[in-house]
Amino acid sequence: MYATLKNRALVFLNEVGEFSIFGSRFFKEIIKSPFQVNEFIRQCYVIGYKSLPLVTITAFIMGLVLTIQSRPTMTKFGAESWLPSMVSLSLIREIAPVITALICAGKIASGIGAELGAMKVTEQIDAMEVSAINPFNYLVVTRILATTFMIPLLVIYADLIGIFGGYIGYNVKGSIGIYRYFSAVFEHLEFIDLLPAVIKTFFFGFFIGLIGSYKGFTASNGTASVGIAANESVVIASLSIFLIDMITVQITDLFF
């Protein structure tokens, strides 16, 4: 049993080392020319625009359900008028960033892992190297940058949709005008509530792209490795989101 644990520890440490080297290579390649602008824009479209329907539905349901579930408790304590503020703060500071990032980890990280894994297995990446094209710059850098910039935009969009979902949920068993509702939302909402939440989404996006690209780019031979790369991308990216969120919450608590 000791030998088994030792082997697993060595495999884990080796994986961490290779991942670190892969991440450091990204920062080296990002400053090299030429930068693949067209591929970057295409990835922004694929990662950002094509994720809007899923993010819209998820965010709307989050705001709707949170409002409906919280209303009885708030009414019990005579704080029903604070419901819009409570829902908006909960969504913006924690719920919307984490849930949206998890949804994107499931959709985007798995897609990147499967796509690059298939290219690795079918030797398309090797063909790019033979053609004097830098596959890391073309495939990895563009995808990581796209996720880093698109995830924060998707989260801000999810915040707005979630707050609107809260408005619909509030009117299920009550009646409030949209102007009064949003006035109540922004009454207790400050810029400092939005800033830490947005900053951590850049880290969410970076690691979603980095993990998906790493798993796909380093996939082993065989068609089964494509599925493994996609599955591991989702699992590890989701765990990294929770880890980053835990760290950022502690930092936010200290400085804000």
Side-chain angles (χ1 to χ4, degrees), residues 66-85:
L66 182 61
T67 302
I68 294 175
Q69 290 289 339
S70 302
R71 184 168 193 151
T73 303
M74 301 292 286
T75 302
K76 181 179 179 181
F77 291 98
E80 187 176 351
S81 61
W82 290 4
L83 186 58
S85 299

Side-chain angles (χ1 to χ4, degrees), residues 122-140:
T122 56
E123 299 182 350
Q124 295 181 51
I125 294 177
D126 295 333
M128 292 178 68
E129 292 180 345
V130 172
S131 303
I133 298 175
N134 186 344
F136 195 97
N137 193 308
Y138 187 85
L139 299 174
V140 176

Side-chain angles (χ1 to χ4, degrees), residues 175-198:
S175 179
I176 187 173
I178 190 167
Y179 177 79
R180 184 183 171 191
Y181 178 83
F182 277 92
S183 296
V185 167
F186 291 108
E187 182 179 358
H188 298 93
L189 185 63
E190 299 178 357
F191 180 73
I192 202 65
D193 296 317
L194 182 63
L195 182 62
V198 172

Side-chain angles (χ1 to χ4, degrees), residues 55 96-97 100-101 150-160 197 201 204:
V55 172
T100 304
M150 286 296 106
I151 298 301
L153 294 178
L154 289 173
V155 168
I156 294 173
Y157 173 77
D159 290 337
L160 297 174
T201 57
F204 290 163

